[in-house]
Each structure stands twice: as structure tokens, then as C-alpha cells.
Amino acid sequence: MPTVVLMDASLSMTRPVSLEQCSEELQRKNLAVAGLTMLFEHMANNYRLEFTSLVAFSSLWELLVPFTRDYNTLQEALSNLEDYDKTCLESALHGVSNVVQQEWGHACPTQVVLVTDGSLGIGKGSLRHSLQTLKGRPEDKKFPLPFPFPAKLFIMCIANAEELQMTDTMHNLEQLLQLNGGDGQIFTMEGQLCLKSVQSMFGRLIDEVYSPFPAVLRCGNLASDVQVFPRPEPVFLDEEIDPMPRHILTEVDDVGPGTTEEPEEETSANQQAGKVPNFCVLLHGSLKVEGMVALVQLGPEWYGMLYSQADSKKKSNLMMSLFEPGPEPLPWLGKVSQLGPISDAAENPYGEDDSKSPFPLQPKIKRSYAQNVTVWIKASGLQTDVQKILRNARKLPEKTQTFYKELNRLRKAALAFGFWELLKGVAELLERECTLLPDTAHPDAAFQLSHAAKQLKLASTGDSQYAAFDQNINPMHTDFSGGGAAGM
């Protein structure tokens, strides 16, 4: 889980700390640097395989260090941080969104650590102004929260709670967390502003977010002490009436949780330079060579899988993916508790020559579907469907019926998945096709493409008037197609 450190470099961070509160002359910026130094040292010792980035901001934002595992580089950039002008948090959050999406896309969970003194800025561009003008903004000027990727926002205030509550600062920061879905926390300094209190504050962040998760990986008589990164979080089941958090057990009888493992060519000190046999290394090497996965039990009726994932040509990690809690997390596999060795079966379920397989398990009740359901398992499947629409679009008006048939099939699938961005993207492709029509193209082609693009954009807003699942986009009747102008 990558981390973005968003460091306030505005002039307010250069305010000196009162000599009554601190024995030496320090600025708030110095306290922030001391706290981040503590965090980077902890991550260098315990989270060496995680990526961290450093972004500084004032009225503008700047990427000081792209995502890296080199904490010396991060520390050096932090030590050389310059002072800039006023605070503009909105543009900085836009910067974080861009940095994360360019490196990790939309699906990677990310930790965002905002370090600031609590000054919200003045006038236009301040956090107060941003929150007051949330409504009525055009699409291209929307507030960057919630982030377009799973993210937790941790706000580290170089100020105590009493100072923040004297104004509306705390309320605005809490509103910032709510805009991000409530995922995160606000940390403030306790007591006087000094090195000891800032270290205590960052210590609380480390305990709650960056503390190691030691566990035991066990298989029969073989066992190995491991650590899991990032720390697993409790899981709540929505269908339970009174949901209780499910926690991964630190040790189980059959198979325990896995971990990200060190590169094979490196050896840890506590293994005496690799001379002591280690079950985790054995398992990792076996899975890597055989290209297989191992089922792992995390708790009562909760399973996952371990597998090797290459980080580069020389480095590979032992990864763990968690399944949904329950006895049958993968329907095609059946109950995990009923799996066993082939030798226990009356006859080989794979046949004498491996010509058959017991999987996937067939459902007891055969379902009947009136039509095939659109499913995109791989990117190539989605690309094929979009290309099919574009090919028919270039053959309008002869392929009008086929064009709208494929368009409505994609529209229904996108609405079912909540894939609003796809509808908007295809609409932009159709608008582009409209501008590229040759002079010899039939006039009806431009009308149909513009009409289809408009309807897709309306559906992408999620408005029930235009995004009804059982509603189709019908061809636009024009003078060229034998009727008057009409819509959906």
C-alpha cells in the first residue's frame, strides 16, 4: 500500500514556536521535519518493500520525490525543503490525485499523510473558500475529494487541539475527512509544541497505521515466523444483522497468513546468513518455480491464497490475497474444507491421463438465461466491444441497427457494473469519429453519432431519467432517414 506524504511548505509553517513551549528556537516546519524523519526511519526498518512519495505544496504543488523505496532520498529532499507562499490545499490534493493515478491507476489503495500547521489559507484558494463553493461547480473544476482511488487521509497538525478549536479549522479538517468517505484521522499535538510532543503524535500514527503484523505461517509440522505488510484490517460482512469484525489470526493450526518476503539473493540477520532452514523461503521458492498458488486459512471459514509475484527481474515477493469470508469463497471450487489429496479419492478425478478435471463444479440448479450476459474479464474483451461499435459507426447509416444494438449492449453492461467512466469515454470516441467523417459521408451518420454520444453522456451522470437499465438508445429519426427529429 503506497504512501504519499503531502508536506505544507507555506510561510505559516515558518512561524517560530514559543520559547516558553520549547527550550530551543524552532519553527513549526522543523517540528514537521522531525516527525516525518521519525516516520521515514520506522518505514525504512519495517516497511522496506512499500513505496513512498513526497509532495510539497503552498499555492502550487511540486513532486519532490516520486514513489521510491529509498528513504535516504526522501530524507534528503525533506531536509532541503524550501519555503514558499500561501496555503492552497485544493490544488495540492489535485496533485496527489494525479501522482497516484499516473503511477498506480484507480484501484490501488493508498495512504495520504498531510502534514500542516492547520492554517487554511486566505481568500480564494483557501480551504474555507473551497468548502463553501463545493456545490454548483462545473465537471472540470470539481473538488478532488473523494479521491478516484481507495485512499485513507491522515492529517498531522503541527498545532494542539486548543489552538485549532479557537477558529473553525478543526471543523473544516473534519469536513475534509468526510468528503473522502470518512476514511482517515486527524492527529494533533498534545500539550506544548516541542520535539517530544511531535514525536508522540507521529508515534500514534505509526502505532495505528504502520505497525508490523507478526504472524506464524504453518503447514503440518513446518512453521515460520513472518510479518504481513500492509497490516490487515478487520472485515465486516454486510449481510450479517449485527456485523462483527473478522480479524486475521496471528497463528492457526493448518496454514497461517503469508507475507511479502525478502529477495532471494538477500539474507536476514536473524537467519544467520541463510544457514537456518526457513519454511517461508521454501514455500516461496516452490510456488515461484512451479507457477502455482497455495491456499491459506486465515481464521474460521476464512481463506486466501499465497503466490509469488515478480517485482523486477531479480526480486520477487510472496504475496497474499484474501477471499471473502465464508466456506465457499470461490463458487467453482466448492467448499474449501472438502478439498483433499487425490490419493483420498476412490478414483483419480483427473483421469489416468489428466484428460478431465472436477473443476469448475457445476451448480446443483441449472439456471436459465434468456440472453448472454456481457462480462469483461480481461481488457481485451472490453476493447473488442468498443472496437465493434466504432467499426459499425464508420459504416453508418447502412449499419444503423447493428450500431445501436452493440451500443445498447455495452451501455447496459456499463450501467450494471456502475462503470460510468466507460460511457463517458465511448461518448468522446463517438464525438471524435463524428469530426473525422469524410466529406463523402452520408449526412445521417453525423446526426446518429452526435445523438448516441449525447445519450451516453447523459447516462454517465447516473441520473435515473437517462440511466435506466431497461431503457435503450433508439436511432435518431432525421429527414435523411424518413422521419422528423426525435430523441430516446
Side-chain angles (χ1 to χ4, degrees):
M1 187 180 294
T3 295
V4 180
V5 174
L6 186 58
M7 176 67 175
D8 189 346
S10 63
L11 285 175
S12 62
M13 288 287 285
T14 64
R15 288 181 294 164
V17 177
S18 171
L19 290 177
E20 296 179 1
Q21 299 180 349
C22 189
S23 58
E24 51 185 319
E25 293 186 9
L26 292 174
Q27 299 176 349
R28 298 189 182 223
K29 172 184 172 182
N30 301 132
L31 296 179
V33 169
L36 285 175
T37 298
M38 176 181 172
L39 176 63
F40 289 159
E41 288 176 352
H42 172 81
M43 296 179 73
N45 293 326
N46 298 281
Y47 276 68
R48 286 173 294 175
L49 297 180
E50 295 290 356
F51 288 90
T52 304
S53 174
L54 179 61
V55 177
F57 76 96
S58 55
S59 59
L60 302 174
W61 65 274
E62 179 184 0
L63 177 60
L64 298 181
V65 182
F67 285 101
T68 181
R69 290 170 169 170
D70 186 352
Y71 288 95
N72 290 330
T73 303
L74 289 163
Q75 188 60 55
E76 183 179 352
L78 191 63
S79 302
N80 297 327
L81 183 65
E82 297 181 8
D83 304 322
Y84 294 98
D85 49 8
K86 68 174 187 176
T87 303
C88 183
L89 192 52
E90 181 175 346
S91 67
L93 294 173
H94 274 298
V96 170
S97 181
N98 293 337
V99 168
V100 173
Q101 289 181 83
Q102 288 175 8
E103 185 74 23
W104 305 103
H106 295 269
C108 183
T110 305
Q111 315 268 27
V112 179
V113 179
L114 168 62
V115 184
T116 180
D117 62 339
S119 295
L120 306 181
I122 301 173
K124 189 175 181 180
S126 67
L127 182 58
R128 290 189 187 89
H129 180 267
S130 296
L131 296 177
Q132 290 169 359
T133 57
L134 284 177
K135 297 181 180 179
R137 293 192 182 196
E139 186 69 26
D140 59 338
K141 293 185 178 179
K142 280 194 171 182
F143 194 74
L145 294 183
F147 288 116
F149 46 85
K152 290 191 174 183
L153 178 61
F154 299 98
I155 304 175
M156 313 300 294
C157 294
I158 310 301
N160 53 41
E162 292 76 10
E163 181 182 349
L164 297 176
Q165 289 169 351
M166 290 174 64
T167 60
D168 60 348
T169 299
M170 184 64 79
H171 173 71
N172 286 313
L173 293 179
E174 289 172 350
Q175 194 174 349
L176 204 62
L177 285 185
Q178 292 172 2
L179 288 173
N180 196 46
D183 287 335
Q185 190 174 344
I186 299 173
F187 291 85
T188 60
M189 298 175 65
E190 296 177 352
Q192 297 181 339
L193 304 188
C194 60
L195 287 174
K196 185 177 180 180
S197 58
V198 78
Q199 288 171 351
S200 173
M201 179 178 69
F202 274 86
R204 298 199 305 273
L205 172 70
I206 290 171
D207 290 341
E208 294 191 24
V209 184
Y210 294 102
S211 58
F213 186 85
V216 177
L217 179 65
R218 187 182 300 279
C219 181
N221 295 324
L222 300 175
S224 177
D225 292 332
V226 296
Q227 284 191 342
V228 183
F229 300 100
R231 186 180 183 86
E233 297 182 357
V235 174
F236 291 87
L237 298 182
D238 294 336
E239 64 269 18
E240 293 183 349
I241 298 176
D242 188 14
M244 296 290 291
R246 298 282 191 97
H247 297 272
I248 292 180
L249 301 181
T250 56
E251 183 174 357
V252 293
D253 294 334
D254 296 323
V255 183
T259 180
T260 50
E261 180 59 35
E262 292 300 311
E264 290 184 350
E265 64 272 11
E266 295 183 10
T267 54
S268 58
N270 62 356
Q271 292 180 23
Q272 299 179 7
K275 294 179 181 180
V276 177
N278 186 286
F279 168 59
C280 189
V281 175
L282 172 65
L283 177 65
H284 181 198
S286 302
L287 297 179
K288 180 179 179 181
V289 172
E290 297 296 331
M292 301 179 73
V293 302
L295 284 174
V296 56
Q297 185 173 8
L298 311 169
E301 294 192 341
W302 192 7
Y303 302 92
M305 67 178 182
L306 300 174
Y307 55 95
S308 178
Q309 183 179 55
D311 201 32
S312 64
K313 289 183 178 181
K314 293 184 179 181
K315 295 182 179 181
S316 62
N317 307 318
L318 184 59
M319 306 294 292
M320 179 172 68
S321 293
L322 310 186
F323 300 148
E324 287 287 331
E328 297 183 65
L330 305 175
W332 60 269
L333 194 63
K335 289 187 177 181
V336 177
S337 59
Q338 294 181 357
L339 295 176
I342 295 177
S343 57
D344 288 354
E347 61 180 44
N348 191 338
Y350 293 94
E352 296 300 328
D353 54 354
D354 289 343
S355 59
K356 60 180 183 178
S357 173
F359 304 108
L361 293 182
Q362 298 300 319
K364 296 178 181 179
I365 301 175
K366 188 175 182 181
R367 296 177 176 86
S368 174
Y369 297 99
Q371 60 184 6
N372 292 330
V373 178
T374 302
V375 177
W376 297 310
I377 297 176
K378 297 182 179 180
S380 57
L382 174 58
Q383 185 178 7
T384 299
D385 285 349
V386 174
Q387 287 175 341
K388 196 181 297 183
I389 292 173
L390 295 180
R391 281 198 303 271
N392 289 310
R394 292 165 189 149
K395 296 178 182 178
L396 290 173
E398 291 82 6
K399 293 287 186 178
T400 298
Q401 295 302 322
T402 308
F403 169 73
Y404 279 98
K405 176 184 175 183
E406 295 297 333
L407 189 70
N408 283 313
R409 188 169 71 88
L410 179 136
R411 175 183 176 275
K412 281 191 173 184
L415 291 175
F417 299 144
F419 200 168
W420 316 112
E421 296 85 355
L422 175 62
L423 297 175
K424 188 176 179 182
V426 173
E428 292 172 352
L429 287 175
L430 295 180
E431 289 176 342
R432 181 175 179 273
E433 287 294 325
C434 189
T435 62
L436 297 176
L437 288 172
D439 296 336
T440 56
H442 194 285
D444 195 39
F447 284 108
Q448 299 296 345
L449 289 174
S450 299
H451 168 66
K454 178 182 177 182
Q455 296 301 328
L456 285 180
K457 280 195 172 181
L458 290 173
S460 71
T461 62
D463 189 333
S464 58
Q465 182 180 354
Y466 305 103
F469 181 77
D470 56 354
Q471 188 176 12
N472 285 328
I473 301 176
N474 297 317
M476 182 180 188
H477 296 289
T478 66
D479 293 338
F480 303 103
S481 57
M488 288 183 66

